[in-house]
Amino acid sequence: MKTEEASRAWLLDFGKGLQAAVGFHEMSHVLTSPLFFEIPCAPSYCSEVLVFQEHILPVLDIPTLLGSQKMLHNTQEIVGIGVYQEDPSQPVGYGGLRLAAFPTPIYVNNEQACDLPEYQKYWFSPLVISCFLWEGIAIPIIDLAYLFSGKFAQQP
């Protein structure tokens, strides 16, 4: 539902029942069947990169990151290219997110805000900056700058 105070966002489906959202301006492209390159000895959640517009980008597997188990992917490879900026004085960065389906454009407003349910605490802070209800499901809003900074790897 679109209202005057609604903000545009992308609903991301990572598979295994994991969904999250990012701001509409934070998803740059969606790639299908990209060419991945394995990175030896890298953590399983970020063991691949791809080349996008002459840049080598990390590709994160969110279910593996949150569950520590490498996800088996189907034959349809979908990668969302996220845009982030750690500091306003720095240039923007790009990173890939493995997706189970194409991102869905949605509208979200303040009345949908909610707390992250206890059963979803695998979405840790500060990775999650907010949460909202979408069709009866609590959807976390993730901070791409934090995610791609690698700071999350230092979480207990």
Side-chain angles (χ1 to χ4, degrees), residues 11-20 22 27 29-39 43-50 57-66 69-82 95-103 123 142 144 147-148:
L11 181 62
L12 307 177
D13 182 352
F14 299 109
K16 291 192 172 183
L18 294 173
Q19 293 182 307
V22 295
M27 190 60 48
H29 291 78
V30 176
L31 307 177
T32 57
S33 303
L35 179 59
F36 295 104
F37 298 92
E38 284 284 325
I39 305 299
S44 59
Y45 62 84
C46 63
S47 62
E48 300 171 313
V49 296
L50 59 80
L57 304 183
V59 179
L60 299 183
D61 186 309
I62 298 298
T64 303
L65 170 67
L66 298 178
Q69 184 177 12
K70 185 71 174 167
M71 185 167 169
L72 299 175
H73 300 283
N74 60 22
T75 56
Q76 182 180 12
E77 301 285 353
I78 302 171
V79 173
I81 304 297
L97 296 168
R98 277 190 168 272
L99 301 173
F102 284 95
W123 289 108
I142 56 176
L144 290 182
L147 180 65
F148 286 108

